[in-house]
Amino acid sequence: MALKIELRPRERFIVGSTVITNGDHRTHIFIEGKEPLLREKDIYTAETANTPAKRIYLAVQLMYLNQDIESHREIYFELIDDFIRAAPSTIKLVDAINNEILTGSLYGALKRARDLVECERELIENVQSGHRSIPADNPIDGQSEGAGSDTSSEGGGPSSGSQG
């Protein structure tokens, strides 16, 4: 069964190692075969892979498009090691990517890497907005609003009862 792709004007996609650019009109294309395929919205370049998770995605993307794990293995694992040290809470997502790679499901690994990029975005967003979005509690025992709030609802660990 053929894969049907609808392309916007001037939208690009990759089939194997070939970049194809649509013309000036919306187009429907039917593709048969097993060559790796990525739409423009799913492609990262060295310039757009500007965060640790996006660089991991790019390494997996290269594995997928080249159908070659070995050539990208070393850099991939260096990136993964650094990422896990910085964000240990992502170990399950990283394990899912690794399992897909180990079973040869490189497109599946790419989808899991996309989840890692989204997780990283959320982590960064939480850090950047952490102090401005602490929910205000009702004053208890003379504490001002926000003091003593439950940090578990803010993405932190269990509340120790003292401020820091």
Side-chain angles (χ1 to χ4, degrees):
M1 180 171 191
L3 173 66
K4 177 184 174 184
I5 298 176
E6 182 176 340
L7 297 170
R8 297 182 311 264
R10 291 170 292 290
E11 183 177 6
R12 297 181 302 173
F13 67 103
I14 295 175
V15 177
S17 61
T18 303
V19 177
I20 300 169
T21 304
N22 188 26
D24 293 333
H25 304 284
R26 182 172 291 283
T27 304
H28 292 87
I29 296 175
F30 298 88
I31 299 174
E32 294 184 43
K34 296 184 186 260
E35 287 296 312
L37 182 135
L38 279 179
R39 294 181 67 119
E40 184 172 16
K41 68 180 183 172
D42 297 322
I43 299 169
Y44 280 110
T45 64
E47 293 79 30
T48 60
N50 55 8
T51 70
K54 288 178 182 179
R55 285 189 281 279
I56 290 168
Y57 181 97
L58 178 59
V60 175
Q61 173 185 300
L62 292 171
M63 289 178 192
Y64 169 66
L65 289 174
N66 298 328
Q67 294 293 291
D68 180 10
I69 296 170
E70 283 304 313
S71 296
H72 308 285
R73 177 186 293 268
E74 186 176 336
I75 189 68
Y76 169 77
F77 281 111
E78 287 175 14
L79 293 167
I80 288 293
D81 288 345
D82 290 345
F83 195 85
I84 291 172
R85 273 196 290 278
S89 64
T90 61
I91 190 74
K92 286 184 180 180
L93 281 172
V94 169
D95 283 345
I97 297 168
N98 289 339
N99 286 334
E100 296 284 1
I101 291 171
L102 287 172
T103 61
S105 178
L106 296 175
Y107 186 74
L110 200 59
K111 288 181 2 184
R112 301 286 187 192
R114 173 69 67 190
D115 294 341
L116 188 66
V117 170
E118 179 60 23
C119 177
E120 176 189 57
R121 186 195 61 74
E122 290 172 4
L123 288 170
I124 291 170
E125 199 172 89
N126 287 340
V127 168
Q128 289 176 340
S129 66
H131 295 293
R132 292 183 295 249
S133 66
I134 296 174
D137 294 334
N138 292 328
I140 301 172
D141 298 325
Q143 293 178 341
S144 62
E145 286 190 25
S149 63
D150 179 11
T151 57
S152 65
S153 66
E154 299 163 11
S159 178
S160 62
S162 64
Q163 296 291 337

